[in-house]
Amino acid sequence: MFHKKILMGAALVAASTLFFNFDSNSKDPKTAAELGEKLFFEKALSLDNTQNCASCHIPEFAFADTAALSLGVAGKRGKRNAPSVMNMAARSAFFYDGRAKTLADQVHFPIEDGLEMNVPMSEVVVRLNKRREYVRWFEKIYHQKPTADNISDAIAAYESTLETSNTPFDEYMSETGKGMSKSAIRGRELFMSSRTKCFDCHFSPDFTGDEFRNIGLYDGKKLTDAGRFDITRDSADLGKFKVPGLRNIAVTAPYMHDGSFKTLRQVIDYYDNPMATMAHAINRDTLIRPIGLNEQEKVDLENFLRALTDHRFDKKKN
């Protein structure tokens, strides 16, 4: 079943495109996605016209940030790590706390957040309506001037094109059976095993089930981000965060909702013995318990995770 899901997912995204070299003076957009690309790189979407979506979702790093906590306008530091916005077309929940249910709905949150772009959507609408090119583009594509709804729709349309499936793992899962090293193959076996239980949370073609889990990074004292609880107010959700997808994980460091782990090895070491650093975690998921990996197993597991990264991010090849 897993093999079938992966192949289906790969087929759905095989034709997707990714734009690394954005040119603000490029030709007029013909589709909502092309218009959304321009908006993704448009600094008028921030209070002081200094930032755009790509400021924190950097194309070269799979549209994630390289800082633990991103800096917003006026140098304000955000609350959480900015995750990748790639491979989001099939998601059913967005943000670590799941506050948005659709790609379009998630657009306004970073724009209006006081620690991020810090400008009301109503002001964004006014600004774009003062730009002749945007009025022309929106009228051509949406048959109306810029509004909060069609601005969000366009950005969501662009983000839905940011899908990847050209990885060593996908090659291995194809009929050729090639692509991954022997170490990565052993790592996949570990990943899928009942011993590690990685697959219990990281399943589906994008290696997430859009579930919320508490992996032990909440103690109510030093680590006080309550995650999903802030949205639901349900005590059962204390410390739970949305399980992220693992595609392109080799280039999206740092990791976790707070960016507290700088490397994949640190992530693996944590899961191998979570009690060593977070013995007093509150509401930790029962899946999170010591595993007891040896050195070779840790190397194998890391090599498998690296095999989930699209070739377009392979600096050795580019």
Side-chain angles (χ1 to χ4, degrees):
M1 179 61 73
F2 180 66
H3 190 172
K4 182 178 180 181
K5 285 183 178 180
I6 290 296
L7 292 180
M8 288 176 64
L12 287 172
V13 302
S16 64
T17 54
L18 175 64
F19 305 93
F20 280 157
N21 300 311
F22 177 77
D23 179 3
S24 60
N25 297 314
S26 61
K27 61 183 180 179
D28 289 358
K30 294 183 175 61
T31 66
E34 290 178 358
L35 176 55
E37 181 192 12
K38 289 186 178 291
L39 291 168
F40 195 89
F41 293 88
E42 175 56 69
K43 293 183 177 181
L45 272 63
S46 65
L47 179 66
D48 56 3
N49 297 284
T50 60
Q51 290 193 313
N52 54 33
C53 301
S55 297
C56 298
H57 299 286
I58 307 168
E60 291 82 357
F61 296 95
F63 288 79
D65 200 358
T66 56
L69 302 175
S70 302
L71 296 179
V73 295
K76 294 181 179 180
R77 193 174 301 279
K79 180 180 178 181
R80 295 179 180 139
N81 177 254
S84 169
V85 295
M86 299 194 81
N87 301 295
M88 291 291 155
R91 305 281 61 79
S92 60
F94 300 86
F95 299 104
Y96 280 111
D97 56 22
R99 78 191 82 154
K101 299 301 181 184
T102 68
L103 267 176
D105 182 36
Q106 60 83 31
V107 169
H108 75 92
F109 285 99
I111 293 175
E112 297 185 314
D113 193 302
L115 298 178
E116 297 183 54
M117 300 167 87
N118 194 27
V119 60
M121 280 296 290
S122 57
E123 174 61 21
V124 171
V125 172
V126 170
R127 290 182 182 186
L128 295 185
N129 273 287
K130 290 181 179 179
R131 301 265 294 272
R132 292 180 180 179
E133 70 274 26
Y134 275 111
V135 172
R136 185 176 74 254
W137 294 337
F138 273 91
E139 288 183 336
K140 178 180 178 182
I141 295 171
Y142 287 99
H143 308 294
Q144 60 182 179
K145 294 181 179 180
T147 68
D149 286 342
N150 57 31
I151 291 169
S152 296
D153 183 82
I155 294 176
Y158 171 60
E159 291 178 339
S160 69
T161 70
L162 304 178
E163 299 287 304
T164 57
S165 63
N166 184 25
T167 72
F169 168 74
D170 292 299
E171 293 170 356
Y172 173 78
M173 295 299 289
S174 70
E175 294 180 359
T176 66
K178 299 179 180 179
M180 293 202 301
S181 66
K182 291 182 179 179
S183 174
I185 293 171
R186 292 194 301 268
R188 175 180 175 271
E189 292 174 352
L190 272 172
F191 186 92
M192 300 286 291
S193 72
S194 59
R195 179 183 170 200
T196 66
K197 297 187 181 297
C198 302
F199 188 65
D200 285 32
C201 297
H202 294 283
F203 53 92
S204 86
D206 293 327
F207 297 89
T208 176
D210 291 312
E211 299 175 329
F212 297 88
R213 300 276 189 168
N214 181 332
I215 65 168
L217 298 181
Y218 174 76
D219 61 10
K221 296 180 180 179
K222 293 183 178 180
L223 299 177
T224 58
D225 189 339
R228 181 67 173 160
F229 172 79
D230 289 340
I231 304 302
T232 67
R233 311 311 294 179
D234 184 343
S235 60
D237 288 332
L238 271 172
K240 288 186 177 180
F241 295 89
K242 181 179 178 293
V243 176
L246 300 181
R247 285 189 176 271
N248 306 313
I249 194 169
V251 294
T252 60
Y255 307 102
M256 306 304 181
H257 68 275
D258 57 358
S260 55
F261 295 156
K262 296 181 180 180
T263 66
L264 278 176
R265 180 55 185 263
Q266 287 180 345
V267 173
I268 293 170
D269 285 341
Y270 174 76
Y271 279 114
D272 184 48
N273 189 9
M275 313 307 177
T277 55
M278 283 301 296
H280 303 292
I282 297 174
N283 199 38
R284 183 179 5 230
D285 196 292
T286 56
L287 286 173
I288 307 301
R289 75 285 184 274
I291 300 172
L293 299 170
N294 61 40
E295 176 62 24
Q296 185 60 59
E297 288 173 327
K298 290 181 179 181
V299 171
D300 292 343
L301 190 54
E302 180 173 350
N303 284 335
F304 168 66
L305 293 173
R306 292 186 177 279
L308 303 180
T309 297
D310 197 275
H311 286 304
R312 70 189 69 189
F313 299 112
D314 189 342
K315 295 182 179 179
K316 295 180 180 180
K317 294 184 178 181
N318 296 331

